[in-house]
Amino acid sequence: MDSKNIDALLTQFHSLVDINKTSLALSLFAIAFNPTAWNIVARNEYRNKTITRIFGGNSRYGCYFLTIMIFSFGILRDQLYHLALFDQPKQAMLPEQYAIIVPAVLFIVGQIFVITSTWALGITGTFLGDYFGILMDHRVEGFPFNVLRDPMYVGSTMCFAATALWYERPAGLFITVYVYIVYLIALRFEGCVSYCSATTLLSLIVFRYRPFTDMIYTRRAEKAKGKAL
C-alpha cells in the first residue's frame, strides 16, 4: 500500500471519527478504567479483605457494596459512550431497509446473553463474589455458557456495535473495536472483570473461570482434599 492510499484512508477515517473531541477521550478512558479498577480492587479484596473489614467482617455486605459501585460506574461509562457518539459525525452504515432491524436484533441478542448469564450466576456469582470468599458450588454450564465460552463478553461487544449502528455513528464501531481490544488485554492478564454494553441493564459483569478465578477454586479444592485426608 503506497503513501497515497494510506493518506486517503487516514483522511476518510478522520472524516468519520473526530479524535479531537474530549468526549471521545473520556469515553475511551472510562472503558479502560472500569475493568482495570475492579480487577485491582478485587485482587486486593482477595488478599487483604479491605472491604470486608469495613463492613465488620460481613463478606456479603462487602460484595453488595462493590456491586453498587460497579453498577454506578457502569452507568457513568454508558453515559460517556452516548455523549461521545453524539459528538461524532453521522453516517449511514447499513442499507435503509436494514438500518433498524440489524442493530435492534444485534442489541436484543446481546442483552439475552448478558442477562441470562447474570441470572445463571446470581449477584454474588456475577459481581466478584469469588474474591470475597463467596464461591459457587459448581461451575455454571447451562445456557448461555453452553453456547459461548464468554457470553457476557460477546453480548457486551454486540451491544456496543448495535448502539453505534442504531445512531449511525462510525466512531461507535471504532470504540467497539477498542472495547474488544481492552477485553482481550484484560483476559490476557488474568482480568476477571468485564462490562456490559452501553444502555444495558447491568453495566459491569464478571468474566467467569479465568486464571485468577481458577486459582481461587483450585485452592478451595486443595483445602477440601486436604481435610478429607
Side-chain angles (χ1 to χ4, degrees):
M1 183 178 292
D2 57 33
S3 60
K4 289 185 178 179
N5 289 333
I6 294 176
D7 289 340
L9 286 175
L10 288 175
T11 299
Q12 184 177 16
F13 174 80
H14 288 298
S15 69
L16 298 174
V17 181
D18 188 347
I19 62 175
N20 296 316
K21 290 293 185 180
T22 301
S23 57
L24 176 62
L26 288 175
S27 179
L28 296 178
F29 173 78
I31 288 168
F33 171 82
N34 282 3
T36 303
W38 305 132
N39 195 22
I40 292 173
V41 169
R43 293 192 181 207
N44 175 72
E45 181 61 25
Y46 177 75
R47 296 188 177 99
N48 302 313
K49 303 299 179 186
T50 303
I51 300 176
T52 297
R53 289 203 303 269
I54 292 175
F55 285 88
N58 191 313
S59 59
R60 286 193 175 273
Y61 286 172
C63 184
Y64 295 151
F65 169 76
L66 187 58
T67 296
I68 293 173
M69 295 299 295
I70 290 174
F71 188 85
S72 299
F73 274 85
I75 292 175
L76 174 61
R77 191 278 326 282
D78 289 349
Q79 292 302 312
L80 290 175
Y81 176 57
H82 274 81
L83 289 175
L85 288 185
F86 296 143
D87 272 349
Q88 294 295 317
K90 185 176 182 179
Q91 173 68 48
M93 293 178 281
L94 295 171
E96 185 177 355
Q97 63 268 34
Y98 300 120
I100 294 179
I101 188 64
V102 170
V105 170
L106 195 63
F107 188 84
I108 290 171
V109 173
Q111 287 296 292
I112 288 174
F113 285 142
V114 170
I115 295 173
T116 55
S117 297
T118 305
W119 179 266
L121 294 172
I123 296 298
T124 57
T126 298
F127 292 97
L128 300 169
D130 313 89
Y131 296 83
F132 287 83
I134 307 171
L135 306 184
M136 303 183 72
D137 294 330
H138 304 285
R139 179 172 181 148
V140 177
E141 296 180 342
F143 184 84
F145 293 94
N146 60 349
V147 176
L148 297 167
R149 174 174 171 79
D150 297 308
M152 294 179 182
Y153 164 65
V154 175
S156 173
T157 304
M158 291 173 67
C159 291
F160 266 99
T163 304
L165 293 173
W166 181 268
Y167 291 113
E168 299 184 322
R169 296 310 201 274
L173 296 182
F174 166 72
I175 295 174
T176 300
V177 172
Y178 174 78
V179 168
Y180 178 79
I181 294 172
V182 169
Y183 284 165
L184 291 181
I185 293 175
L187 293 174
R188 178 70 175 175
F189 291 94
E190 303 183 352
C192 296
V193 181
S194 179
Y195 38 90
C196 290
S197 64
T199 70
T200 189
L201 175 63
L202 295 170
S203 300
L204 280 166
I205 304 295
V206 179
F207 271 132
R208 300 295 300 169
Y209 307 113
R210 290 305 180 184
F212 199 85
T213 308
D214 285 339
M215 180 272 292
I216 295 175
Y217 282 90
T218 298
R219 287 188 175 181
R220 183 183 70 168
E222 290 174 349
K223 288 181 180 180
K225 183 178 180 179
K227 290 180 179 180
L229 295 175

